[in-house]
Amino acid sequence: MICYLYDGSFWGLLTALAVALNNFSEENRILVSDDFFPDLFTETIDVITEVNVSEKFLLEFKNYLNEQQMLDIYYIFLANEPRKETLLLQYLYLVKVSKGAIAKNNANNLVLQLNRLSNQVAHEVLRYQGLVRFRKLNEGIFYAPIKPKHNIVELLAPHFVRRFADQPFVIQDIERRTGIYYDLNKCRYLSFLELNEKLLMSSLNLESADEIFAKEEVLYQQLWREYFRKASISERKNLKLQRQHLPKKYRDHLVESFEE
Amino acid sequence: MDLQEKLGILAAAAKYDVSCASSGSQRKNQGGLGDTSDSKIGICHSWTSDGRCVSLLKVLFSNYCSHDCVYCINRRSNDLPRATFTIDELVQLTIGFYRRNYIEGLFLSSGVLGTPDQTMEQLNQVVKRLRTEENFHGYIHLKVIPGTSSELIKEAGSYVDRLSVNIELPSEQGLKLLAPDKKRDHILKPMAFIHEETTALTLEKPGVVRAPVFAPAGQSTQLIVGATRESDLQILHLTEKLYQRVSMRRVYYSAYVPVVSNPLLPTLSTPPLKRENRLYQADWLLRFYGFNAEEILDTEQPFLDSELDPKTGWALRNLHLFPVEINRAAKRTLLRVPGIGLKAAERILAARRFGQLDFEALKKMGVVLKRARYFITCQGKSLEKTLYAESLREKLIEKTPLAQKDQTVQLALFAPEELSNLVQKEIKDDLLLI
């Protein structure tokens, strides 16, 4: 068994996949080097990221896969799943051998796992398109903290830029400390965005809201909570259904308040 | 009255309208706020404690009303707090909520302030300001007040994404009895007009440089279920005609919630939620599964079975068409198997190109076999031995706790004599005779 170690970047993963496919064996693994704990039995190879190798790799697989299936590779890269690189390796081996035909066979175990994971990522993007809640800060910027399972913050950019063309905003993944920032001209991905505790605390419980928020912000939050409460039909009360649609782990950074 | 109190009153007054769709428009942002061009499916922003999704700011412009519809909480003679937004308040609320990503847009309806046209003029001013002054391109669903003139509907259609006229009561008798101020024509004429305007534009489009937009997300409507005694068969017939004749995008069903007590109304302690649920299932069969109303129900059985979903009910009455071979059946046949939905059918079609499927493969693909197992074979093999309708029914009925069941036998609950002549009306007698 050989374990290929890469730097954690997408280009690094592609290089590692290209190298590992040249010498494919079912048992081989790919891992981020920071996540690997050395042991006596595993042979390791440190893969140095080479952009031209990665590009060549992408071009090769464009012959086999359609646009959506190519996108799936990137979605898997963003997934929060420790076995994802190895899953990709085994899947792409089958793709190469079958010249792409396997990708449509959703009765195949690997294809199934891959589609499921990719769908989970895509689904979380859709979910957060609805669940992002902006707070208007006194500088006029709109700020939203999120805590997604998968690393999706950059995938939110196109949707929110289209919508809020005239509104500067920041969406921050508060666990990964990453974010996107739109300044009315372009939207940038920020690979490190320091957590502003004070900002986060006012977002969560309105602590020192006067200092941080624009003056109308608290009013809009109150109005929204009132609306949310009054829009419910008490004769149809169904907290279980509510939980199914909106699990509790997604409620932390919303503005509305929930009955227990 | 402060804005928060107003919002509370006018949100509570609008909550019985169930439409929440926000997809199907293709409105591009033009340097301002809002965009619906990437929404092939609607986006839900939250879920209230009744489990319903929140996607639009759903409010009435005013809950003052000159009508006195018996079933409606906002009826003139009902004693409750009343409020009316100013145009400015409503515009600011919509923009403020949208900017914070609370909503997909606005859903605006109203009680009748004076005449229908006077009311509609107010609503039109709100949407006109949002589009022309505020540069707002989010989703707008506007209710047409029954009885509004065509000119005002035409103006509204040029600003909004969806228009809807609520039928509420599925038959003319029901209307006469419970909504004496509304006439059948007040509902049907606007509906037909919207249909003409939307279809005229699609016909016109190819040759024209840029056809004016008219309600690009089409029209929808809503029926209240359980306030009057129409059967499910009558309701489904009406639904079918609405889809066929006025290019209705959606028909919504709303379980009647007893908001006012009146001898003309049934005294239900809980809304008929199960019946509502079954009607939605039947509606899906009409729209996506190639069924027609007559297959789902007939005069001998005019109500949907509360214990079985309508597709399973149909299959049990048509056992001679089963079992279906998964590896050979056409798509439309697969879609008629209980438990096989649109996604499952697509997956089966895609996967069987690569080889014969067995039950294990179906399971792995996420096809649920709970109901389907009795109706299919894989490579000629069956999971169950031949079953007869009665024993099969026993196995397939949904075991619901008693508390969750609707109070059925709607008919017996009506008190006054004058209703008895409404019981078995011919189906042809329903509301829509366009």
Side-chain angles (χ1 to χ4, degrees), chain B residues 67 80 183 289 340:
Chain B
H67 285 180
L80 84 173
K183 301 276 176 303
Y289 289 81
I340 293 188

Side-chain angles (χ1 to χ4, degrees), chain B residues 182-239:
Chain B
K182 285 188 202 165
K183 301 276 176 303
R184 173 174 166 264
D185 272 358
H186 292 166
I187 296 164
L188 294 186
K189 274 201 181 140
M191 244 178 214
F193 180 75
I194 296 168
H195 168 64
E196 279 161 27
E197 288 293 311
T198 40
T199 44
L201 282 174
T202 36
L203 290 177
E204 223 169 73
K205 255 175 189 161
V208 181
V209 183
R210 200 172 157 198
V213 175
F214 186 88
Q219 64 172 327
S220 65
T221 190
Q222 166 172 305
L223 302 171
I224 297 176
V225 177
T228 43
R229 27 192 5 177
E230 293 85 5
S231 67
D232 292 343
L233 177 60
Q234 280 170 292
I235 291 173
L236 282 187
H237 265 285
L238 175 57
T239 297

